[in-house]
Amino acid sequence: MVAPNAADARTVRIRIKRQDGPGQPARWEDFDVPYQTGANIISCLQWIAAHPRTVDGRDTTPVVYDSGCLEEVCGACTMVINGGVRQSCTALIENIIDDTNTITLEPMSSFPVVRDLAVDRARLFAALERVRAWVPIDGTYDLGAGPMESPRNQLTRYQLSQCMSCGCCMEACPQFNLEEDEAAWDSSFVGPHAISQARYFNLHETGAILADDRIDLLSAVGGVSDCGNAQNCVKVCPKEIPLTESIAAIGRAVTVRSIKRFFTG
Ligand code: SF4
Ligand code: SF4
Ligand code: FES
């Protein structure tokens, strides 16, 4: 980390890739934002919304972005900051500023742009539906005590449960490319988060009812064999979820299931 020097202590230049809507051409706009200790990217975007004027003195529109929790829990504010994908609410200016005194913001490239820095993550959630990322219990009647779970399972599942569907791992994955055609989502790569969530629910005593369905889905086109093992996903996950471990575990489950099917038909 390099602190802003005396000459540029008054402002930080925020360079933003903007787009007026889906399919519209992109453009860059620069803003000089007063530097404040403790400021983060969201607070800078809020300042820009109140003062939408570029460095060359042109009035413009406030920059559109997504956010919710402002504490790295919802994943909505994910964007590409200085070339790396991460949450903007926890991106403190003092930690990311360098000698250029300029911070670049771009929308994630693996999801369609809605406007400016806001993207549509619907495919991410569709992938969770595809792998049946839920525990199949319905009804309000008393189900009694739940099944026992080993402390080791609890520990693994706790780690996996921290996924906030932010999209970082998909943005970093070379196999997960922008796919705007919804019809293609059923056969395109589900992504590392969905593989990990399939493992999470397969480890759940009741969720395991759908384990074979999940493994069958992940054996098919767009499943675990589409992973090229580049391991970019695990490096960018803000929750340090062991994604490559999950991919390996599901890969083993796919092999075991195909051997079983070979013998049982
Ligand atoms: S696995 Fe990590 S990077 Fe991927 S969506 Fe979940 S929290 Fe984000
Ligand atoms: S390990 Fe697989 S899922 Fe992770 S980034 Fe590489 S190709 Fe994508
Ligand atoms: S606003 Fe929820 S993670 Fe940033």
Side-chain angles (χ1 to χ4, degrees):
M1 181 206 88
V2 182
N5 60 39
D8 52 34
R10 287 167 297 127
T11 59
V12 176
R13 182 152 299 187
I14 311 276
R15 190 147 206 261
I16 304 175
K17 189 176 185 185
R18 303 198 60 181
Q19 186 173 325
D20 288 340
Q24 297 292 306
R27 67 183 188 282
W28 288 91
E29 286 184 354
D30 293 6
F31 301 86
D32 280 342
V33 177
Y35 176 80
Q36 279 184 328
T37 308
N40 61 27
I41 292 296
I42 296 282
S43 64
C44 290
L45 288 169
Q46 286 171 335
W47 188 91
I48 291 168
H51 310 85
R53 176 172 283 213
T54 62
V55 290
D56 46 14
R58 210 167 30 80
D59 286 334
T60 185
T61 49
V63 178
V64 173
Y65 60 95
D66 211 348
S67 70
C69 66
L70 300 182
E71 53 181 357
E72 205 176 276
V73 173
C74 73
C77 68
T78 306
M79 59 183 72
V80 178
I81 301 174
N82 284 345
V85 68
R86 60 172 297 172
Q87 283 66 56
S88 48
C89 65
T90 47
L92 290 177
I93 303 302
E94 62 210 58
N95 290 344
I96 55 177
I97 196 74
D98 64 12
D99 287 340
T100 67
N101 198 43
T102 300
I103 294 168
T104 59
L105 306 182
E106 298 167 74
M108 284 194 281
S109 60
S110 298
F111 301 96
V113 172
V114 175
R115 186 165 175 169
D116 297 336
L117 301 169
V119 297
D120 181 356
R121 290 180 296 149
R123 181 177 162 203
L124 183 162
F125 300 107
L128 293 177
E129 275 185 49
R130 206 166 136 198
V131 301
R132 316 269 194 271
W134 60 76
V135 175
I137 46 169
D138 277 324
T140 53
Y141 48 90
D142 182 3
L143 294 171
M148 294 290 283
E149 187 172 29
S150 73
R152 192 173 165 186
N153 242 15
Q154 282 175 18
L155 207 63
T156 307
R157 290 206 322 108
Y158 178 70
Q159 268 187 314
L160 306 181
S161 74
Q162 294 178 87
C163 175
M164 57 177 169
S165 302
C166 65
C168 286
C169 56
M170 284 143 272
E171 177 69 7
C173 174
Q175 306 300 117
F176 191 97
N177 301 310
L178 178 67
E179 181 54 82
E180 301 198 43
D181 178 9
E182 261 185 60
W185 290 356
D186 280 346
S187 54
S188 53
F189 185 37
V190 286
H193 76 306
I195 296 173
S196 193
Q197 287 301 292
R199 179 185 177 210
Y200 172 65
F201 285 99
N202 279 7
L203 285 171
H204 187 281
E205 301 287 343
T206 311
I209 292 169
L210 297 178
D212 286 349
D213 287 3
R214 294 190 191 103
I215 297 303
D216 286 345
L217 278 153
L218 289 169
S219 311
V221 181
V224 74
S225 63
D226 279 28
C227 163
N229 203 27
Q231 312 205 356
N232 296 3
C233 50
V234 74
K235 291 179 198 145
V236 297
C237 176
K239 299 297 179 192
E240 299 182 3
I241 292 172
L243 291 167
T244 41
E245 255 179 60
S246 290
I247 292 164
I250 293 292
R252 285 193 296 276
V254 164
T255 307
V256 169
R257 176 123 174 97
S258 58
I259 292 170
K260 269 193 197 154
R261 286 166 74 111
F262 180 78
F263 287 110
T264 57

